[in-house]
Amino acid sequence: MSAAPLLDIRRLTVRFGGLTAVADLDLDVREGEIVGLIGPNGAGKTTAFNVISGLETATAGEVRFRGRRISGLQPHRITALGIGRTFQNIRLFGALSVLDNVLIGEHVRTSGGLLDVLVRVRREREEERVAAARARELLDFVGLGHRGPERAGSLPFGEQRRLELARALATGPALLLLDEPAAGANPTERATLVTYIRRIRERGVTILLIEHDMKVVMGICERVAVLNFGRRIAFGPPEAVAADRAVVEAYLGAEAS
C-alpha cells in the first residue's frame, strides 16, 4: 500500500434544504485496501458515494482522488479518472445483451468519436475488437462467459449482481465503489460475492463498500468507517469498530448497549 491516500475526503458536508445528510466527513482510502462504510439506514452512506461519483454536489468540503480535487466534476469525467461504482438497486440495461452491458462500461476507455463510428475507420474497428475482448474476459472473470448473447434482464438476481460488477470493472477503475453488493442475496450468493470482491482486489483494484451484512464487512474489510446521522462516529479495524460503544448504541440503542 502507498502512504498517500488514493481517496481523501475532508470535511464533506451535504445538505438538502434543512436536512444535513452528511456532516464534516473525513475519510481516507489507501491503495490496495478494502474499506467498509456502514451505519443505520439514513446515515448518509449513499449520499457520500453519490458525491464521490459526481451524482450529488457537496455543500462544503472536498473529495480528492490521486491527489486531484474531483469535487464538482461530472460523473463521466470522474469515471474516466478511475472511479467505478455499482448501485444498491441494480441498474442494468435489461433489454440489451449481457455482453453489450459490459461494452457500455468499456466506452469510457475508447477514443473514437461519432465520425469514426459512422465511417468505420480502422482505429474505431480495432478499438471495438479490443473492447469486445476485454468485455468477454470480464464476463469469464465473473462466471458469466456463457451468458454473453442472452438478455441481461433474463438473468437471475445473483448473476445480475455479477454482471453489474463486470460492467463497473469495464471502466478500468483504480477505485471501485460497491453500494450494498450483498443486498437481497441469499447465503450462497453472498459467499460467492465475497470471493469475487477478494479477486477484484487481487486485480489491483481498491474497494470502498457500503454493506449492511456485518459478516461480509467484518470478513473482508481492513478498516471500517461508521456513519450515524451523517457524522462519522468510528473508523478503524473491524474488531475495534465492532466493540466501540458509540457504534453499538447507533445500531442497538443506548439501553441495549
Side-chain angles (χ1 to χ4, degrees):
M1 296 182 188
S2 61
L6 180 66
L7 179 73
D8 195 15
I9 299 173
R10 289 289 170 256
R11 300 188 66 83
L12 182 66
T13 298
V14 184
R15 297 190 185 94
F16 301 107
L19 172 67
T20 300
V22 178
D24 293 325
L25 174 62
D26 288 343
L27 180 68
D28 66 275
V29 179
R30 298 187 290 261
E31 188 172 357
E33 279 190 303
I34 300 177
V35 174
L37 184 60
I38 69 173
N41 288 330
K45 306 180 297 295
T46 294
T47 299
F49 262 32
N50 288 343
V51 172
I52 297 168
S53 57
L55 297 178
E56 299 282 0
T57 302
T59 306
E62 68 175 13
V63 179
R64 289 186 174 272
F65 178 65
R66 288 174 165 165
R68 171 179 176 172
R69 183 185 173 112
I70 62 171
S71 311
L73 293 183
Q74 293 180 312
H76 70 277
R77 292 189 61 193
I78 292 173
T79 301
L81 288 173
I83 298 180
R85 76 168 291 180
T86 64
F87 294 85
Q88 178 181 353
N89 298 317
I90 296 174
R91 298 187 182 184
L92 297 174
F93 296 93
L96 298 182
S97 73
V98 168
L99 179 62
D100 283 342
N101 268 269
V102 182
L103 283 171
I104 288 170
E106 292 279 350
H107 284 318
V108 74
R109 303 172 67 181
T110 59
S111 60
L114 178 60
L115 182 60
D116 294 330
V117 174
L118 291 175
V119 300
R120 297 284 293 171
V121 297
R122 180 182 298 176
R123 183 185 65 186
E124 191 272 335
R125 293 197 302 271
E126 177 61 15
E127 282 192 340
E128 276 195 1
R129 185 192 67 77
V130 172
R134 282 197 302 251
R136 292 189 184 95
E137 186 274 328
L138 286 170
L139 286 177
D140 287 338
F141 173 73
V142 298
L144 297 176
H146 61 298
R147 298 286 205 184
E150 298 180 31
R151 191 172 62 86
S154 69
L155 297 183
F157 179 84
E159 292 188 354
Q160 289 192 24
R161 281 286 187 202
R162 282 187 273 149
L163 175 56
E164 194 174 40
L165 277 178
R167 185 178 62 184
L169 289 172
T171 66
L175 173 66
L176 181 60
L177 310 178
L178 301 178
D179 193 349
E180 296 198 34
N186 61 42
T188 300
E189 290 167 341
R190 282 196 297 273
T192 300
L193 176 71
V194 167
T195 298
Y196 281 114
I197 291 174
R198 289 192 174 118
R199 290 178 61 195
I200 288 168
R201 197 257 294 274
E202 290 169 1
R203 292 171 71 103
V205 179
T206 302
I207 296 169
L208 176 61
L209 68 91
I210 295 171
E211 187 51 65
H212 282 290
D213 189 315
M214 290 300 100
K215 288 184 179 180
V216 172
V217 172
M218 299 301 168
I220 62 174
C221 294
E222 282 90 20
R223 294 190 295 159
V224 178
V226 186
L227 296 187
N228 193 32
F229 296 109
R231 294 187 178 276
R232 197 189 84 185
I233 60 172
F235 189 25
E239 300 80 8
V241 166
D244 189 291
R245 182 178 178 84
V247 175
V248 176
E249 289 182 3
Y251 276 95
L252 302 178
E255 185 174 334
S257 71

